[in-house]
Amino acid sequence: MEQDKLLRLLNDVRNGGVSPQDALLKLKMEPFEDLGYAKVDHHRSLRHGIPEVIYGAGKTAEQISGIIDAMRAHGNNNVLVTRVTPEKAEELGKFISVEYDAVSRIAIYGRKFEAKTKGYIGVVAAGTSDIPVAEEAAVTAEALGNRVERLFDVGVAGLHRLLSRLDVLMSAKVVIAVAGMEGALATVVGGLVSCPVIAVPTSVGYGANFSGLSALLSMLNSCAGNVSVVNIDNGFGAGYLASLINHIGEAEA
Amino acid sequence: MEQDKLLRLLNDVRNGGVSPQDALLKLKMEPFEDLGYAKVDHHRSLRHGIPEVIYGAGKTAEQISGIIDAMRAHGNNNVLVTRVTPEKAEELGKFISVEYDAVSRIAIYGRKFEAKTKGYIGVVAAGTSDIPVAEEAAVTAEALGNRVERLFDVGVAGLHRLLSRLDVLMSAKVVIAVAGMEGALATVVGGLVSCPVIAVPTSVGYGANFSGLSALLSMLNSCAGNVSVVNIDNGFGAGYLASLINHIGEAEA
Amino acid sequence: MEQDKLLRLLNDVRNGGVSPQDALLKLKMEPFEDLGYAKVDHHRSLRHGIPEVIYGAGKTAEQISGIIDAMRAHGNNNVLVTRVTPEKAEELGKFISVEYDAVSRIAIYGRKFEAKTKGYIGVVAAGTSDIPVAEEAAVTAEALGNRVERLFDVGVAGLHRLLSRLDVLMSAKVVIAVAGMEGALATVVGGLVSCPVIAVPTSVGYGANFSGLSALLSMLNSCAGNVSVVNIDNGFGAGYLASLINHIGEAEA
Amino acid sequence: MEQDKLLRLLNDVRNGGVSPQDALLKLKMEPFEDLGYAKVDHHRSLRHGIPEVIYGAGKTAEQISGIIDAMRAHGNNNVLVTRVTPEKAEELGKFISVEYDAVSRIAIYGRKFEAKTKGYIGVVAAGTSDIPVAEEAAVTAEALGNRVERLFDVGVAGLHRLLSRLDVLMSAKVVIAVAGMEGALATVVGGLVSCPVIAVPTSVGYGANFSGLSALLSMLNSCAGNVSVVNIDNGFGAGYLASLINHIGEAEA
Amino acid sequence: MEQDKLLRLLNDVRNGGVSPQDALLKLKMEPFEDLGYAKVDHHRSLRHGIPEVIYGAGKTAEQISGIIDAMRAHGNNNVLVTRVTPEKAEELGKFISVEYDAVSRIAIYGRKFEAKTKGYIGVVAAGTSDIPVAEEAAVTAEALGNRVERLFDVGVAGLHRLLSRLDVLMSAKVVIAVAGMEGALATVVGGLVSCPVIAVPTSVGYGANFSGLSALLSMLNSCAGNVSVVNIDNGFGAGYLASLINHIGEAEA
Amino acid sequence: MEQDKLLRLLNDVRNGGVSPQDALLKLKMEPFEDLGYAKVDHHRSLRHGIPEVIYGAGKTAEQISGIIDAMRAHGNNNVLVTRVTPEKAEELGKFISVEYDAVSRIAIYGRKFEAKTKGYIGVVAAGTSDIPVAEEAAVTAEALGNRVERLFDVGVAGLHRLLSRLDVLMSAKVVIAVAGMEGALATVVGGLVSCPVIAVPTSVGYGANFSGLSALLSMLNSCAGNVSVVNIDNGFGAGYLASLINHIGEAEA
Amino acid sequence: MEQDKLLRLLNDVRNGGVSPQDALLKLKMEPFEDLGYAKVDHHRSLRHGIPEVIYGAGKTAEQISGIIDAMRAHGNNNVLVTRVTPEKAEELGKFISVEYDAVSRIAIYGRKFEAKTKGYIGVVAAGTSDIPVAEEAAVTAEALGNRVERLFDVGVAGLHRLLSRLDVLMSAKVVIAVAGMEGALATVVGGLVSCPVIAVPTSVGYGANFSGLSALLSMLNSCAGNVSVVNIDNGFGAGYLASLINHIGEAEA
Amino acid sequence: MEQDKLLRLLNDVRNGGVSPQDALLKLKMEPFEDLGYAKVDHHRSLRHGIPEVIYGAGKTAEQISGIIDAMRAHGNNNVLVTRVTPEKAEELGKFISVEYDAVSRIAIYGRKFEAKTKGYIGVVAAGTSDIPVAEEAAVTAEALGNRVERLFDVGVAGLHRLLSRLDVLMSAKVVIAVAGMEGALATVVGGLVSCPVIAVPTSVGYGANFSGLSALLSMLNSCAGNVSVVNIDNGFGAGYLASLINHIGEAEA
């Protein structure tokens, strides 16, 4: 697409519709708007086919609100803000009306995309402490228009809890496996399903978990071939990536 | 499916067609064959819809040949053997006829699946030393019936080499990004495309690359949201996973 | 016992049967014999109730033979030598007659203890590459007089292979779980059985397994409460420890 | 047992007493109760022969109380809650009556099992700062019905303190060795006793102890063959595992 | 220069202008003044041709003020204080008049050197969270008399943001590249420009960034040959070093 | 000495002056007193020839006071308490009269030993932030009766500061070198003096100092042969060890 | 420049001299030539103003020769090949005439640039084992047309060796400091000179040097502000970067 | 001394006996001789009062011989060469007559200093595999004129072996404790003796010993206050340092 656009622009230059100088300027200026504290990229949602996403950690409520305003001015009416603490969510509410989910720590501006996919994303979490990360993945995926099925507290030390829900797992189009400690869930799930599995190590645990290193290494070394891994506690990335996969084939249907 | 089968078996028990003792036995015995040095799983290829794969490292040519024989006896005529050194490939040839690719170190028994997918997998490699890993991914994907497009030696320190092939990248259904050293390729590619990117860190480099740790950490911390990571040098895993993603929507088409 | 002995010695001193000087000398001289390159501890087998064990790595065949001779001279007719390469085993055979097992790399002098325990030790290994370590554990345990049941190639990415042998696992008095890569086997087995599980991480794998670190951390962080861990590739330690546990209650029976 | 039950269920299906559909449902539904924030496993205490245990860290007092209620409703009147801060213990007291031990940070609902074992567990701690972890192990073991003997502040830099209590150590059926800093206690104790030793590294220390890594590595590399290791600061795991070992042979007595 | 001075001193000794004892004293006493809590080096600014710099972290406002006083007494009227929190800046203001920049956390006593260099330093930052470190570099460089051009929020996952400002980058005499997370910016910038690039890894990120390790390793392994690296978050060092490079050739102009 | 005593005790047993049972009891009971929270070792100061030392971190003021009381009751009138925060020092003052030094965080009960050694200990610190650790070493050494010479803020990036005090360094009997960051001071000092150098890495620094790891590794790899290293921030250990060395030859003088 | 070229191309499109399709093609095809195993970038030497450089490790003599041929065909008559073992150099000589330096392991095709810079680069190495890395830096710099002064075996444990050559150091325009083990040389040199210092940690040493980690961390934490660091053993990078700095101001002179 | 000399030189300058230029030259030229591949420091043996030492690893036999020749020419007739493999020793013998010890891998040119110290150094080694490192320490110490007592194979898992030789340990003036694996020996020895203990971690072990890291960390965290640590496998450093300590007070006697 970027290429199509370049070709079109070059055609316009040839036709005299656009001067070379303007073309150069256009190439440089168009894609984003500079708010000083952030460059808002108004093309990204079009290019990637999704609502805009703001990583909320390390930004003030006022900055977040300002970025949403800029997006809104360009017609983006769906914005996801991740890593928002309850305190920041409250403060953010003074500037702009958002829907806040305390477990996943996600604030949503505008309406979530409706879940219109036939396929669904399975989100599996090992322990109760892993739920915030799992919910970050699940809420992200839902906001991006996906059907999501949750299976929480199904750690592999009590295998029957997982096996009793095998049917849900095995019909998913893609599975997100969230686990801290020894992170074995990803491998067991990877062996049970035949779809792609996105593993999210969490920092849950203590001592020799070294803040998530144990689960991370465990998942990277999974002997199941359909497992790939994202950063420790990166629920958003897993939800985003799962959405990309879940939407394949849907548009054409 | 596993569930359907269990239900059918239970029905057979009810009907008296199968005794409870036999049912128990059946549940326990069926799924694999024990060769002594390996348990060959004859259901896996059916379950996962792919040729059988043997991880060749640490197995003798004779053992590999034995496993292929057992598979063949159950009707699996397509087997992929990874991590086969040229020496082992030669020895393997004494037992069984395989096609060997020296760059990817993959031996294939039987015929590769034909590439009948409409979508293709882009395989991008940063440097020439990353090619063996990239080829392991590419050959795996091809063997699993995928169309593959290769872009090698396009490291981000010479960005124009990558940008000049942007069209190939941007039309891929899924991209595999292979890089050692600083592993920056995964993030740059992740930002350029809107499809899933599977990042493969390699052990290529020296000194503070700590046998692939630098590229691994770099890729796990990618600021591009569509990137997930597999183990260092794990070309096979990337190819296998990319194939799963590339086949989504194809069967229905 | 050490205390009983001290008390007895003190009584002898009181009775005049032993002079204070001799008592002091006795305390210092008795427990071992100095071969120059090793101090052979002739009391240890009595104290610990097991055959003598020699760690073979880093000792020459001649040194090993010399140590066995010294042991034999004190009535120890059962000696286990671990980490013996085939080459060293051959050379050792020139000095002394031993039985050598090439998979576990263990050489045994004298006869193995007969397995007279009622309870047995389950030895579970994830992959075929983990078998040498698992056999080091199993052969050690057998040499120490234990009944052993082996379950090899039952990695958790193919859960049915493990579940089909659940009965063997669940009746064991203690289980040794041997796994490399992501080491998930220990946790899954720990959740399935109610006896102690000794986890042995192996260095099997590549890349981000960092020579066994991934399996080690995974096992240390196991969410199953009945799992403890020994050093990477330490099959001997696991077999020895399992034997201690398996013998509890047996003597009294 | 799981297998016995499956066989019985299959027999019921054959007899027509249970329909296949109901059997499938039963298999899936029975083992646990879903509280939303946790899946309570009512079979586990039966399967493992112990009181229920709740890992208290990361759960609210209300959630803990809710889980205990669910357990109580299924007849489990003994519940151990670990990692409970004094503040949480106080809050928990508002919901349910528990006995709280501030040193081990354990809250007990119901009565502790009576210590009826003949054998006892030795709990050895190197320094005064290691006592909380040692008490977590000791109180856990006592709650599970074991006799426990404590030896605290017996670090190996003052060997006579440990040697003066050798008799207590040498008569134990299993020993738990708790130490931070250089963790040498585990090896010295391992060499003195002939029973299994469970080593618990603690995060006690500073600088190059790297939050417990020094003691952990020290214990994993112990040259004593009867030592296995649990996670850093994991007193509960050690107490639980020691209880399993201490109960061997007891039931039959 | 140090040598010239020594030679001159030796000549003075020869000429009898300075006694050997005085010369020795002079050599030992001259270069710094001892404030008790710090040795102030009054020659350094002369030797290095720059304002004095005080590392503010870990020093009280009173100590900082005292050091500035001592410098002032020796004619140094330009002092830069780094790592000053807003609270400390306020307290420092009670002792001495400084100009404080809250983003870079730098306090400046006296006037900044005027930017009289023809060449300029490009300061490039990947994300908004990297700005404080980037500003520490930029303000340091400006204080040392350099012209600085800033390009912030130009992370490589949105390559067009960086490419649109290529002209600024390519005309710089030296570039400082500041990035956390995967740190890929340094390599991409290194490939685009032909001047020296000083890479500053930041601790921005979470999980497997391990407090800046990921960006640090990434930058050290850069496949661009013109990149060198300073400590994590060390904006000052990068600014100082860039100033040294930017001043080369200027003095002669 | 321990041996002399044993011989004497054995003689007493022989003479009938002591019964064997009493001898055993004596061996076990004598060396320390059990306060419940600590075992106070009344022989240690005699054996080691120094005042008693209490590691204050992790002990309450009341516990510290109790231990001092027990020591005093056995005639130890000199006690050093390390790692005492100002708050704890104040609270400790309510129980017992101690002299507190806020920089070294050491509280002393009783009088310091007088410095009667002819030789002295040089304590060298690289930066002002290293002073607390250096003072812990210096005050410890002084309390143990040593003459101490301090050289602070003599980091090797300003070599003349160190060289100007070379005379002090070169006449020391033993030198303690305290440095954080790159820890180069230890090697430079090691090369300048011919006496033993005890290196103390500190956690001073940020980023890639990884809490003292950089200085620790630097000092362990020192190319000066007379350097040995203690734990990060372990000023006490260095002072104690330096005192042992400084006292050699003194007693005989 | 890249921008000028784009503008010119756009002008050509406007003028009708180039069709949009051709322009697009031109943008994509021009910058490099694809040899299959490598993309040779014929613009790079122009852009960066230096001879071409080939990283020889992991390339066969034949591949290296092929790349040189391709470069030669585009008028590049100066090629530097790094990391060439003596064996490979000999084999390379069969294909093409190169000058080989066995210490630095560099092969040069064509003539080295003449050293016409007024300023020179000081290359300082701590120990004799660091010389190969130092020579890689020095020979690289010389090949790029720089005057180089070498100071080898001047480790800081023998400070006088370094100080005796202070004059050479202090007149350099940029210094490369090469050291393994504790890497202190970089900091000491950084404090002595006022020009930029490029530190090269080497893997020289053993034990706790962890293959260069000790020197790397030491250099990154240098308390001298003018020090930046390249990868372990990366002599080439240091030489290349130093050349860039040394040429500043020269062209204009 | 260095200072005395400087003063004398300055006096000579004043007296006109030495010109300033000559003085400067003298300061620069005197201390060492440049062999090209090494700077031989002829003052060091005088300054440090010991034979010259050459670190043999990484030097050819010819280079070693050349350095010895240069030393000899300046009157140094005692040279110690460490880390000499048997092969290199043989080759070295072709150039120069040395005495070679195969266990410690040390070659000695000239005669060893006679052991004339009253005090002795205790060298304690945990296992037989630690003996080469222990011998490097012992032979070094002997070559430097010390009396040495060896206690080998006294690992703490068999405490009686160590305790039986307590008398030897307790009379030493300084003890070197050599251990791999868990390195507990250093702490136990440190607690038993009251003299300084130099701990040498070795790389002996496997798996989680991480090439000596386990013993290194263990020793650094020793709870015995009289322990300091040198690099992994650094027997020479320990022997050298122990000699410095052992000679204190001797000269005066």
Side-chain angles (χ1 to χ4, degrees), chain H residues 123-143:
Chain H
V123 178
V124 191
T128 52
S129 306
D130 300 315
I131 290 179
V133 175
E135 278 294 331
E136 187 180 291
V139 171
T140 296
E142 287 173 341

Side-chain angles (χ1 to χ4, degrees), chain B:
Chain B
M1 185 193 330
E2 200 72 25
Q3 191 176 235
D4 293 352
K5 197 171 153 189
L6 176 56
L7 195 53
R8 208 159 48 232
L9 187 65
L10 290 168
N11 266 316
D12 286 350
V13 173
R14 185 183 208 182
N15 300 337
V18 177
S19 74
Q21 285 74 8
D22 284 356
L24 185 57
L25 200 72
K26 203 174 182 77
L27 282 170
K28 284 171 57 181
M29 285 306 162
E30 199 186 37
F32 53 80
E33 178 181 7
D34 200 329
L35 299 186
Y37 49 84
K39 292 194 166 47
V40 183
D41 185 342
H42 299 304
H43 281 205
R44 196 171 146 218
S45 60
L46 299 178
R47 260 188 292 126
H48 285 200
I50 53 163
E52 280 294 339
V53 180
I54 300 171
Y55 180 72
K59 295 199 181 71
T60 65
E62 194 170 356
Q63 287 178 324
I64 293 170
S65 157
I67 296 174
I68 295 177
D69 281 343
M71 286 166 170
R72 212 166 37 170
H74 281 74
N76 288 316
N77 291 312
N78 279 78
V79 185
L80 211 71
V81 195
T82 63
R83 304 280 166 105
V84 179
T85 58
E87 295 72 30
K88 199 178 284 181
E90 204 182 317
E91 206 183 344
L92 185 58
K94 298 175 187 165
F95 294 96
I96 204 160
S97 169
V98 295
E99 187 183 337
Y100 180 65
D101 177 67
V103 179
S104 65
R105 295 161 303 161
I106 288 180
I108 295 178
Y109 172 79
R111 302 180 41 196
K112 291 200 285 185
F113 277 21
E114 273 174 62
K116 38 192 175 186
T117 59
K118 285 180 304 180
Y120 66 83
I121 298 170
V123 179
V124 191
T128 53
S129 305
D130 299 314
I131 290 178
V133 175
E135 277 295 332
E136 188 182 287
V139 171
T140 296
E142 287 173 340
L144 299 176
N146 298 277
R147 195 148 65 84
V148 171
E149 293 288 336
R150 290 161 173 83
L151 282 81
F152 292 170
D153 199 16
V154 291
V156 296
L159 213 49
H160 54 292
R161 296 179 299 182
L162 182 67
L163 295 181
S164 74
R165 301 290 300 279
L166 247 189
D167 50 340
V168 175
L169 263 188
M170 294 184 76
S171 305
K173 201 155 151 200
V174 53
V175 172
I176 296 170
V178 182
M181 299 177 79
E182 90 296 324
L185 183 66
T187 296
V188 172
V189 166
L192 290 171
V193 304
S194 51
C195 69
V197 174
I198 301 167
V200 191
T202 74
S203 53
V204 168
Y206 62 91
N209 83 327
F210 296 122
S211 307
L213 182 65
S214 58
L216 173 64
L217 292 184
S218 176
M219 287 166 168
L220 284 167
N221 286 283
S222 173
C223 49
N226 50 347
V227 175
S228 65
V229 186
V230 296
N231 196 1
I232 298 164
D233 292 334
N234 187 8
F236 165 73
Y240 179 94
L241 188 49
S243 173
L244 287 184
I245 295 172
N246 192 37
H247 276 84
I248 298 178
E250 296 278 340
E252 303 157 7

Side-chain angles (χ1 to χ4, degrees), chain A residues 128-129 131 152-154 160-161 164-165 167 206-210, chain D residues 28 31-32 37-39 41 47 55 59 83 213 216 231-232 234:
Chain A
T128 52
S129 305
I131 291 179
F152 291 171
D153 198 17
V154 292
H160 55 293
R161 296 180 299 184
S164 74
R165 301 291 299 280
D167 50 339
Y206 61 91
N209 83 325
F210 296 122
Chain D
K28 282 172 55 182
F32 53 81
Y37 48 84
K39 291 195 167 47
D41 185 340
R47 257 187 295 127
Y55 180 71
K59 296 200 180 70
R83 303 279 167 104
L213 181 66
L216 173 63
N231 196 0
I232 297 166
N234 187 7

Side-chain angles (χ1 to χ4, degrees), chain E residues 28 31 37 39 41 231-232 234, chain F residues 128 152-153 160 164 206 208:
Chain E
K28 283 172 55 181
Y37 48 84
K39 292 195 165 49
D41 185 341
N231 197 1
I232 297 165
N234 187 9
Chain F
T128 54
F152 292 170
D153 199 16
H160 55 293
S164 75
Y206 62 91

Side-chain angles (χ1 to χ4, degrees), chain A residues 106-246:
Chain A
I106 288 178
I108 295 177
Y109 171 78
R111 301 179 42 194
K112 292 200 283 187
F113 277 21
E114 270 174 64
K116 37 193 174 184
T117 59
K118 283 181 305 181
Y120 65 85
I121 297 168
V123 179
V124 191
T128 52
S129 305
D130 299 315
I131 291 179
V133 175
E135 278 293 333
E136 189 180 289
V139 171
T140 296
E142 286 173 340
L144 300 176
N146 297 278
R147 195 147 66 83
V148 170
E149 293 288 335
R150 289 162 172 85
L151 282 82
F152 291 171
D153 198 17
V154 292
V156 295
L159 213 51
H160 55 293
R161 296 180 299 184
L162 182 67
L163 295 182
S164 74
R165 301 291 299 280
L166 248 188
D167 50 339
V168 175
L169 264 187
M170 294 184 74
S171 305
K173 202 155 151 197
V174 54
V175 172
I176 296 170
V178 182
M181 301 176 79
E182 92 293 324
L185 183 66
T187 296
V188 172
V189 165
L192 290 170
V193 305
S194 51
C195 69
V197 174
I198 302 167
V200 190
T202 74
S203 54
V204 167
Y206 61 91
N209 83 325
F210 296 122
S211 307
L213 182 65
S214 58
L216 172 64
L217 292 185
S218 175
M219 288 166 167
L220 284 167
N221 286 283
S222 174
C223 49
N226 49 347
V227 175
S228 65
V229 187
V230 296
N231 196 1
I232 297 165
D233 292 334
N234 187 8
F236 166 74
Y240 178 94
L241 187 50
S243 174
L244 289 183
I245 296 172
N246 191 38

Side-chain angles (χ1 to χ4, degrees), chain C residues 27-29 31-32 36-39 41 47 55 57-59 83 210 213 216 231-234, chain H residues 128-129 131 151-154 157-158 160-167 205-210:
Chain C
L27 281 171
K28 283 172 56 182
M29 285 305 162
F32 53 81
Y37 48 84
K39 289 192 168 51
D41 185 340
R47 259 187 293 126
Y55 180 71
K59 296 200 180 68
R83 305 279 167 105
F210 295 122
L213 183 65
L216 173 64
N231 196 2
I232 297 165
D233 292 333
N234 187 7
Chain H
T128 52
S129 306
I131 290 179
L151 283 80
F152 291 171
D153 199 17
V154 292
H160 54 293
R161 296 180 297 184
L162 182 67
L163 295 182
S164 75
R165 302 289 300 279
L166 248 188
D167 49 340
Y206 62 92
N209 84 325
F210 295 123

Side-chain angles (χ1 to χ4, degrees), chain D residues 57-159:
Chain D
K59 296 200 180 70
T60 66
E62 195 170 355
Q63 287 177 325
I64 293 170
S65 157
I67 296 175
I68 294 178
D69 280 345
M71 286 168 172
R72 211 165 37 170
H74 280 74
N76 287 317
N77 290 313
N78 279 78
V79 185
L80 211 71
V81 195
T82 63
R83 303 279 167 104
V84 179
T85 60
E87 295 71 30
K88 198 179 283 181
E90 204 181 317
E91 208 182 341
L92 185 58
K94 297 176 187 164
F95 295 96
I96 203 161
S97 169
V98 295
E99 187 182 338
Y100 180 65
D101 177 67
V103 180
S104 65
R105 294 162 303 162
I106 288 179
I108 296 178
Y109 172 78
R111 301 178 43 194
K112 293 199 283 186
F113 276 21
E114 272 174 61
K116 36 192 176 187
T117 58
K118 284 181 304 180
Y120 66 85
I121 298 169
V123 179
V124 192
T128 53
S129 305
D130 299 314
I131 291 179
V133 175
E135 278 294 332
E136 188 180 289
V139 171
T140 295
E142 287 174 341
L144 299 176
N146 297 279
R147 196 147 65 83
V148 170
E149 293 288 334
R150 290 162 171 84
L151 282 81
F152 291 171
D153 200 16
V154 292
V156 296
L159 212 51

